[in-house]
Amino acid sequence: MQTTSHFVWIEMNPKLFSDIFVNVYKYLKENDILESVNIQNPLSSHITLYYLEKDLWDPDKDNVRNNISVLDVSNDIYLTWINYFFRWENKFVLYFTTQTEMPLKDYRDTLHKKYNRVDVEDNSFEFSPHITFLRILDAEVFENHRINIESIIFGEIKKLNDTNISSKQVWLYAVNSTFREEIQIKI
């Protein structure tokens, strides 16, 4: 597989997210605005802990897998709400906020201290444990439909109230971001 990057992430249970993805997709299709967003691959919902470069040697992959295998990801994770990351003044990414007892920031900081991938841009941002839902490609079109999309999402989030969404697994993934929904393969 052509790889554009590697991530360390905690896997979420995709079954629990399926209705959110399907109902928002239906709305986007019915309103002919599918091209205004790029929906995350519904089979790979996750919280990213750390980003790594595209070229990792097998010994480096083994090292990362060994180091993440000691992370305790046995606590539950709960979906709490949604929020946005902005690019300039425009909403750029719609994501799910989460709540957990796990020290995710400590895990991220430990990985950053160990691997120090400062050349990977996403590692320079403040760590915010989240689950990406979609990227907004056309902010104006999205804004015209935002309230309806959010309403669909809020209705589905309420159904998951007090439901653990985590598969309680942490993995190293190879990613190909050139495909629209991203191809993400556990390695």
Side-chain angles (χ1 to χ4, degrees):
M1 174 176 103
Q2 175 190 352
T3 302
T4 58
S5 64
H6 290 85
F7 299 176
V8 173
W9 74 44
I10 299 173
E11 180 181 72
M12 299 298 116
N13 181 344
K15 179 180 172 185
L16 297 174
F17 288 85
S18 64
D19 288 346
I20 299 172
F21 280 92
V22 167
N23 290 329
V24 169
Y25 178 84
K26 247 194 306 193
Y27 176 86
L28 296 169
K29 189 171 181 181
E30 287 168 3
N31 288 278
D32 197 26
I33 58 168
L34 278 170
E35 296 302 314
S36 68
V37 300
N38 184 2
I39 296 179
Q40 173 72 29
N41 184 330
L43 299 178
S44 60
S45 297
H46 65 275
I47 295 175
T48 302
L49 292 178
Y50 202 66
Y51 297 89
L52 298 155
E53 65 276 5
K54 72 177 188 171
D55 297 318
L56 280 181
W57 296 98
D58 286 339
D60 294 328
K61 292 175 189 174
D62 291 339
N63 180 273
V64 170
R65 283 191 293 263
N66 286 334
N67 284 313
I68 65 174
S69 71
V70 301
L71 297 177
D72 180 5
V73 294
S74 62
N75 286 347
D76 292 348
I77 299 175
Y78 300 98
L79 198 59
T80 54
W81 210 239
I82 65 167
N83 205 345
Y84 294 90
F85 290 127
F86 287 79
R87 182 170 281 166
W88 302 283
E89 70 278 351
N90 294 322
K91 291 175 178 74
F92 176 63
V93 171
L94 186 157
Y95 64 89
F96 299 112
T97 59
T98 60
Q99 180 180 4
T100 184
E101 297 290 321
M102 280 186 274
L104 298 180
K105 183 172 180 347
D106 292 345
Y107 293 169
R108 187 267 183 206
D109 291 347
T110 298
L111 293 169
H112 190 55
K113 188 181 230 182
K114 185 174 293 294
Y115 298 109
N116 196 32
R117 297 307 205 269
V118 294
D119 53 329
V120 179
E121 181 184 16
D122 288 346
N123 289 330
S124 67
F125 300 127
E126 182 178 338
F127 180 70
S128 173
H130 68 279
I131 303 163
T132 298
F133 180 61
L134 58 79
R135 284 178 177 39
I136 300 162
L137 305 175
D138 187 324
E140 186 177 333
V141 169
F142 181 82
E143 191 58 35
N144 290 335
H145 295 268
R146 180 181 56 79
I147 301 226
N148 294 332
I149 293 168
E150 288 178 355
S151 177
I152 294 166
I153 295 169
F154 295 152
E156 295 300 327
I157 287 175
K158 287 177 185 173
K159 294 176 187 175
L160 295 174
N161 191 25
D162 297 325
T163 301
N164 171 46
I165 59 171
S166 177
S167 71
K168 301 186 180 191
Q169 304 271 337
V170 62
W171 300 101
L172 173 63
Y173 272 75
V175 179
N176 182 336
S177 297
T178 60
F179 188 73
R180 184 173 166 105
E181 280 78 28
E182 290 191 342
I183 299 170
Q184 302 159 336
I185 306 292
K186 199 180 302 183
I187 56 171

